[in-house]
Amino acid sequence: MRADARRNYERLLAAAEQAFTEYGADASLDEIARRAGVGSGTLYRHFPTRDALLEAVFGDSVERLCASADELAATLPAQEALVAWLLALVRHTTTFHGLASTLMACSTDESSPLYRSCHSISATMTALLDRAKAAGAVREDLAPGDLGALVHGIAMATEAAPGDPSFPERMLGLTLDGLRPRS
Amino acid sequence: MRADARRNYERLLAAAEQAFTEYGADASLDEIARRAGVGSGTLYRHFPTRDALLEAVFGDSVERLCASADELAATLPAQEALVAWLLALVRHTTTFHGLASTLMACSTDESSPLYRSCHSISATMTALLDRAKAAGAVREDLAPGDLGALVHGIAMATEAAPGDPSFPERMLGLTLDGLRPRS
DNA sequence: ACCTGAACACCGTTCAAGT
DNA sequence: ACCTGAACACCGTTCAAGT
């Protein structure tokens, strides 16, 4: 990549992260280009869609989040590892408004730039869930997709209930209790 | 109200219901005015905000939904009445895309035209919840606001998972199990 | 090869001019 | 009293013109 192109790419990424944090996932793309000191066409050249830009901004951190599951699995009992990772997932997908619903929407669309991130998330969750099932901590008949939907629902509810830092933990606690095997 | 004003009001209401169903809660207001055969200024005269229009379109059905709780409470055991009504609530708030998050956002904003509907919903839910607690079917420490958040989360997840009619019921089932008192 | 910014089609909202 | 539709400020996206 040419030097000026690379510089513009980096500037766009920084401006996008700032704008997404400030205004949410539907921040104005024009505003992002303006903040980066770049023509709007340049933004579209580097990132053809909003999802491509979101993926560039957040893809790495999603991969790190998924990688962290190995450590949790190695140090914690199955059930605690699952809960801890799901909490981290909710905190991560609520770093800015609208990210949770965006990730939810692309989970079935293989052509989306965010599909890779969605897939990593669901694969990681499934692995932790299987381990929790094997340990008898979660009922066998729980479909990974259903757990994913519940967690995304909690993430979206969290976005609507700001100012209560313990909210995600409490919601996850209430929900996870319902996933225990019947005694 | 003048005869032509009333006619325009009715036309706007019909066009809005159609557009909301077709395009979701963020349907173009301009398009709604056009469908109603009315200038855009007329729409704003009758409904100063999008929320005012949403309230006019859906307020009555929310009141009917809340009124139906009495019948459920009279004919069903406490736990079943709660579950049945929550399912009806989810089905109602997912009649078109974006309604659930709109209702969620206005639950704390007393100045919103939708606040009345929000309040009716939470009051009805609290009554059914208290009855379920009294019957020993739900744990005493469950805050009504937390149950509301979970249900809204399920509604938003439902919007993102179309084509599975049993989805809301399954999600509610999973969640409600977790709300049982510990044995 | 890459960038710029004008151009286009849209949207929400307001308001002067009409009846 | 009520309505209309032009006007304004925005937005996403494209593309001819520049370097």
Side-chain angles (χ1 to χ4, degrees), chain A residues 14-29:
Chain A
E17 181 164 7
Q18 203 179 331
F20 285 149
T21 306
E22 196 164 345
Y23 301 109
D26 55 350
S28 162
L29 296 180

Side-chain angles (χ1 to χ4, degrees), chain A residues 70-82 84-85 131:
Chain A
D70 290 337
E71 209 180 306
L72 290 175
T75 53
L76 291 175
Q79 162 82 351
E80 287 171 40
L82 177 64
W85 190 79
R131 202 163 148 267

Side-chain angles (χ1 to χ4, degrees), chain A residues 101 104-105 139 141-142 145-147 149-150 152-154 156-157 160-161 164 167 170-180 182-183, chain B residues 101 104-105 139 141-142 145-147 149-150 152-154 156-157 160-161 164 167 170-180 182-183:
Chain A
S101 66
M104 187 96 203
R139 34 153 123 167
D141 65 343
L142 178 65
D146 283 358
L147 178 58
L150 283 173
H152 272 298
I154 289 174
M156 288 188 277
D164 182 352
F167 182 87
R170 210 163 67 245
M171 292 300 110
L172 276 174
L174 286 169
T175 301
L176 269 287
D177 280 349
L179 309 179
R180 288 219 201 105
R182 302 159 195 288
S183 55
Chain B
S101 66
M104 186 98 204
R139 35 154 123 168
D141 65 344
L142 177 65
D146 284 356
L147 178 59
L150 283 173
H152 273 298
I154 289 174
M156 288 187 279
D164 182 353
F167 183 87
R170 211 164 65 244
M171 294 299 111
L172 276 174
L174 285 169
T175 301
L176 269 287
D177 279 348
L179 309 178
R180 290 219 200 104
R182 300 157 195 291
S183 56

Side-chain angles (χ1 to χ4, degrees), chain B residues 30-93:
Chain B
D30 218 54
E31 164 83 8
I32 290 173
R34 213 176 310 127
R35 282 200 199 196
V38 146
S40 52
T42 302
L43 187 153
Y44 284 93
R45 167 175 296 273
H46 285 293
F47 310 102
T49 65
R50 179 183 296 275
D51 283 356
L53 183 53
L54 282 167
E55 161 65 22
V57 169
F58 275 80
D60 286 355
S61 62
V62 167
E63 292 309 317
R64 275 196 301 275
L65 176 73
C66 292
S68 77
D70 290 338
E71 207 181 307
L72 290 175
T75 53
L76 291 175
Q79 163 81 352
E80 287 171 41
L82 177 63
V83 174
W85 191 77
L86 290 179
L87 181 60
L89 173 64
V90 169
R91 292 208 192 284
H92 190 264
T93 56

